[in-house]
Amino acid sequence: MKKILMLILLFLNTIEANAEESIQRSAVIKAKTSVAAFNCFALNDYLGRSEESKRLFNLGYSTSIEFYKSMEHMQLDSKTINEEIPSIFLMVGGPTPDFKAGQVFSSVVENTINSIYKDSQHNFEYDKPLRARKAEDLLHENNCSLIR
């Protein structure tokens, strides 16, 4: 009887550990999806693709909010935070998930637009035709068509 109870307790602990790991994995995916969607939003917006921009903004915003709300109810281990969560999520603060999501959006879009306008290695600004080409290249490099 004791062995059966011990096996049941071990089984329940394993289920609980797997559930916690799954919840943490979900939070990581939300954070990464949010950054990718905001990045692709900026590229599509620059190219005048309003429908796709709107879809990506909504996806980025909703997953960012979901990430911050889930963080109100759990703690990620330091390894996950340091290795898997995009650093922008750790650098913003504020009173609400909505406010934090806005900061993430602003920072990601600013970085993306800067990458369209400037070549950081050679310190020059692209002209308009090159900016459009750079935005198209970044759309493909970032696999923006796969973000759903």
Side-chain angles (χ1 to χ4, degrees):
M1 184 69 155
K2 268 187 170 181
K3 287 183 181 181
I4 293 174
L5 285 174
M6 291 296 280
L7 286 173
I8 291 172
L9 287 175
L10 180 62
F11 178 71
L12 291 175
N13 283 338
T14 303
I15 290 174
E16 185 177 328
N18 287 340
E20 180 64 28
E21 185 177 316
S22 177
I23 291 168
Q24 287 197 11
R25 191 85 216 118
S26 176
V28 168
I29 290 169
K30 287 174 186 171
K32 288 180 177 181
T33 299
S34 179
V35 169
F38 284 152
N39 181 48
C40 293
F41 156 84
L43 296 168
N44 278 287
D45 189 60
Y46 179 81
L47 293 168
R49 299 174 182 161
S50 60
E51 286 296 315
E52 185 66 356
S53 296
K54 183 178 179 179
R55 183 188 72 76
L56 289 163
F57 173 81
N58 289 334
L59 176 63
Y61 179 76
S62 65
T63 54
S64 186
I65 295 291
E66 289 169 14
F67 170 79
Y68 282 117
K69 285 185 177 180
S70 69
M71 295 309 298
E72 291 174 354
H73 305 290
M74 75 168 162
Q75 288 280 53
L76 292 175
D77 59 73
S78 60
K79 182 180 180 207
T80 301
I81 290 171
N82 293 329
E83 294 178 5
E84 297 194 56
I85 300 293
S87 60
I88 184 61
F89 280 90
L90 309 174
M91 295 186 288
V92 300
T96 64
D98 186 58
F99 186 85
K100 294 174 190 174
Q103 289 181 317
V104 171
F105 170 77
S106 177
S107 180
V108 171
V109 168
E110 180 180 358
N111 287 334
T112 303
I113 295 300
N114 283 339
S115 70
I116 293 171
Y117 274 80
K118 296 179 182 178
D119 182 324
S120 60
Q121 293 178 334
H122 300 101
N123 198 27
F124 72 89
E125 287 194 20
Y126 294 115
D127 62 6
K128 191 170 185 169
L130 280 176
R131 287 194 301 262
R133 183 68 199 150
K134 178 75 172 177
E136 286 287 350
D137 289 346
L138 289 170
L139 277 172
H140 296 292
E141 286 175 24
N142 292 311
N143 293 313
C144 290
S145 63
L146 301 177
I147 298 174
R148 300 281 167 218

